[in-house]
Amino acid sequence: QVQLVESGGGLAQAGGSLRLSCAASGRTFRWNFMGWFRQPPGKERECVARVTWSDGSTYYLDSVKGRFTISRDNAKNTVYLQMNSLKPEDTATYYCAATYGSNWSEYDINYWGKGILVTVSS
């Protein structure tokens, strides 16, 4: 059984920073992709960022480019999301996700975290 456990969410002011962490435990193997989705209140879930486990290449949602940075620690099976210059529209429940597959979409995810709330006040 694999578990993804998120931490680091909470309340931040606009312009501030938060760092999310996601630690994988249990029967883990070499992921293909690991990253973060988010679901703002009343909206659909969207991919925020992902990292390719083998080479560290990254993908970002256009609206977070230049503000968010995803990184990984292979030895700890942990992925991080550093969020700077936060905006009220970043308010959402953030979900850690991982997949062994070759595609990165919410329909191809093998494991999800429970989600962690990030609230950005104006």
Side-chain angles (χ1 to χ4, degrees), residues 23-93:
S25 62
R27 188 169 175 261
T28 58
F29 296 93
R30 189 180 298 274
W31 310 111
N32 195 5
F33 301 119
M34 196 168 179
W36 298 88
F37 288 76
R38 71 183 180 187
Q39 187 164 20
K43 296 184 178 180
E44 295 185 351
R45 188 154 50 184
E46 60 186 0
C47 173
V48 177
R50 63 114 167 108
V51 60
T52 303
W53 208 249
S54 59
D55 64 9
S57 59
T58 57
Y59 161 86
Y60 294 97
L61 182 68
D62 282 348
S63 61
V64 308
K65 285 180 180 177
R67 300 188 297 120
F68 290 11
T69 302
I70 189 170
S71 61
R72 80 212 192 283
D73 184 327
N74 296 47
K76 295 182 179 179
N77 275 314
T78 299
V79 66
Y80 306 96
L81 187 67
Q82 178 66 44
M83 304 186 294
N84 298 329
S85 302
L86 283 163
K87 303 177 180 181
E89 51 263 41
D90 294 319
T91 295
T93 299

